[in-house]
Amino acid sequence: MSAATPAAVRTADHGSLPWLIIAAGSLIAMLTFGPRSAMGFFQLPMLADTGWDRTTFGLAMAIQNLCWGLGQPFFGAIADKFGTWRTLALSGLVYASGLVIMAFANAPIWLHIGGGVLVGLGVASGSFGIVLSAFARNVAPDRRALVFGIGTAAGSAGMFLFAPLSQGLISAYGWSDSLVYLGLLMLLVPLIAIPLRGNASSGRHSEALSAQTIGEAVKEALGHRSYLLLVSGFFVCGYQVAFITAHFPAYLGDIGIDARYAVIALALIGFFNIIGSLSAGIISQRYSKPYFLAWIYLGRSVVVTAFLLLPQTPTSVIVFAIAMGLLWLSTVPPTNALVAIMFGTRHLGLLGGIVFLSHQIGSFLGVWMGGYLYDRFGSYDPVWWLGVALGVFAAIVHWPIEERGVARPAMA
C-alpha cells in the first residue's frame, strides 16, 4: 500500500482540532497576558509608597510595551527555528524574574529594568505571536481564524481573572508581595508548554522548509503593500489598549468614580473580550478580514467619543467597558490570519512579530504619553482624543488590504 500523500493527510486531519495543543497554548496566553494587563492596579499604591510620579511609572510600562514589541520578532524567529517549548520556557523564567525585581524596586531604575525590560521580554517570548504560530502549524488554513480566536479569548480570560485577583492580592498583602506571588505563577509556564514542542518544520499543516532565509522573508514582507498597511494599522491597536490598561484606574479616580469600578471595568473588558475574540475568529472565517478590522477600529473611536462626551458615571463606565471589551483584542485573530494568508507559516512567528512590534510601538506611546501629558496638563483628555483620531486612520488603511497570498512565481 502506498504511503498517503501530504494532501491526503491534511484532508484527513481537516475535521479534527489538536485540543491538547490548543488548551496548553490557551493557558499560557492567559498566564502571560494576565499580570501585565493588571499593571494599572499597582500604579497608585506603588507611587504612594515610593513617592515617584506617574511619569516614572508610565515610562516603566512604556518600556515594557516597547521591549515586548522589540522582542517579539526575535523570539518568533527563535520559536520558528528552535522550537516553541524552549521559547515559552524562557518566557516563564524571565517574566518571573521581572516581577520579583519590580516588587523590590527601591529606585526607578529597578522598576524600569524589572517591570519594564524583563517583564516586556517575558511577555514577548510567551505571548500571542508565539502561541498562535504553533496553532497555525497544527490547524488547517480555513480553521486558523477560529483557533486564533480561541487563543486570543484565553488571553482575554487572563485579563478578566487577573484584574480582581491582583486587586485582591494588593488589598490583602500589599503591592510588593502581590508581584512576588504573580511571579511564582509564571513558573508554571514551562510545564504547561510541553505539548507545544516543535518548530516551523513540525505540525500537521506545516510547510516544507523552503530555501527562503529570514532576510529574504523580511525583505519580501516589507515590499508587500498590504502587509505594510496591516503593520501601520496595528500600531493604533497598541496605542489604544495599552493606554487604557495602564491609566484607566487612575483616570476614574481623577473624575471622582469609586476605585472599585476600575476593577469592575477591567474585569468586564476582559470578560467581553472573550466573547469579542471568539466572535472575531468566527466572523473572520466567513467575511473579509480587512473590512472587519476597519469596522473594529471605527467602532473603538465611536465608543471612546461617546464615553468622553456623555455624562461620566459608574453606569457609563460599565457600558464603556462592555463595548470596548467586545472590540479589545478582536483585532488579533484576523490580523494574524492575514499574515498567514499572505506569507504562509514558515516564518509566521517572525513576520507576525514584526506586525506586533508596530503594535507595541503604539503601546509605548500610549502609555508614556498618558503619564507625560497628565503630569504636564493635569488631564488625560489629549491622549483620549488622539486615540479617537488614530482609530479613524486605522479604519482607512485597512480598507484596501488584499486578502491573498504573496505572488511567488518560483513556487508556482
Side-chain angles (χ1 to χ4, degrees):
M1 183 179 292
S2 61
T5 64
V9 172
R10 293 176 186 179
T11 301
D13 288 343
H14 173 80
S16 61
L17 289 175
W19 288 112
L20 179 60
I21 291 173
I22 293 171
S26 296
L27 280 173
I28 290 169
M30 181 178 68
L31 285 172
T32 57
F33 195 76
R36 58 88 39 201
S37 69
M39 288 290 105
F41 295 112
F42 292 88
Q43 179 175 185
L44 296 182
M46 176 184 288
L47 299 187
D49 282 353
T50 60
W52 303 330
D53 57 20
R54 295 192 192 188
T55 300
T56 300
F57 185 86
L59 179 59
M61 296 303 100
I63 292 171
Q64 179 190 114
N65 281 284
L66 187 60
C67 288
W68 180 1
L70 290 172
Q72 188 78 60
F74 176 74
F75 289 116
I78 290 177
D80 288 339
K81 185 170 184 178
F82 297 106
T84 302
W85 179 81
R86 290 182 175 89
T87 309
L88 293 174
L90 178 64
S91 169
L93 298 175
V94 173
Y95 206 144
S97 300
L99 289 171
V100 171
I101 291 174
M102 182 180 175
F104 296 104
N106 55 11
I109 184 63
W110 294 111
L111 171 63
H112 295 152
I113 291 173
V117 175
L118 291 179
V119 171
L121 293 177
V123 180
S125 52
S127 67
F128 294 120
I130 308 298
V131 171
L132 298 188
S133 295
F135 286 2
R137 295 192 298 267
N138 290 277
V139 177
D142 61 347
R143 307 288 292 279
R144 284 175 186 158
L146 172 62
V147 176
F148 288 174
I150 294 172
T152 307
S156 308
M159 183 177 184
F160 172 68
L161 293 173
F162 277 81
L165 174 62
S166 299
Q167 186 62 55
L169 287 173
I170 292 170
S171 299
Y173 303 106
W175 64 269
S176 181
D177 287 350
S178 298
L179 287 170
V180 174
Y181 295 142
L182 294 180
L184 292 175
L185 276 178
M186 294 305 103
L187 297 179
L188 295 174
V189 171
L191 179 63
I192 299 172
I194 291 174
L196 295 169
R197 294 188 302 270
N199 61 8
S201 64
S202 62
R204 288 187 290 177
H205 297 277
S206 61
E207 298 170 359
L209 292 178
S210 68
Q212 189 183 47
T213 65
I214 289 176
E216 290 169 343
V218 172
K219 183 178 179 181
E220 178 184 63
L222 295 182
H224 193 266
R225 177 173 174 267
S226 290
Y227 181 77
L228 294 178
L229 292 174
L230 193 67
V231 169
S232 65
F234 213 39
F235 165 90
V236 177
C237 180
Y239 177 96
Q240 293 172 330
V241 302
F243 165 68
I244 294 174
T245 299
H247 293 285
F248 197 59
Y251 174 75
L252 293 184
D254 291 343
I255 62 176
I257 293 179
D258 191 278
R260 64 193 176 97
Y261 283 98
V263 180
I264 294 171
L266 290 183
L268 285 172
I269 288 175
F271 177 77
F272 281 92
N273 191 19
I274 298 171
I275 299 172
S277 298
L278 288 172
S279 300
I282 295 170
I283 293 170
S284 297
Q285 285 190 154
R286 301 176 180 176
Y287 300 101
S288 166
K289 296 173 184 63
Y291 292 172
F292 181 48
L293 284 165
W295 285 114
I296 290 172
Y297 286 109
L298 191 61
R300 286 184 182 179
S301 292
V302 171
V303 169
V304 172
T305 298
F307 178 65
L308 295 177
L309 295 182
L310 295 174
Q312 293 177 314
T313 64
T315 300
S316 72
V317 168
I318 290 173
V319 173
F320 170 79
I322 292 172
M324 189 57 72
L326 292 172
L327 303 170
W328 192 256
L329 291 181
S330 56
T331 57
V332 174
T335 297
N336 281 273
L338 281 170
V339 178
I341 289 171
M342 292 175 188
F343 306 107
T345 62
R346 173 66 183 94
H347 294 288
L348 181 58
L350 168 66
L351 299 181
I354 292 173
V355 176
F356 202 79
L357 170 59
S358 174
H359 182 284
Q360 293 311 104
I361 293 173
S363 297
F364 174 89
L365 289 175
V367 174
W368 176 75
M369 288 175 64
Y372 175 78
L373 292 179
Y374 180 89
D375 287 338
R376 186 174 179 86
F377 299 109
S379 173
Y380 285 117
D381 285 353
V383 192
W384 280 115
W385 287 113
L386 180 56
V388 170
L390 287 173
V392 175
F393 163 79
I396 293 172
V397 300
H398 277 87
W399 206 262
I401 290 176
E402 297 179 356
E403 189 175 339
R404 59 185 175 84
V406 64
R408 291 172 178 159
M411 295 177 64

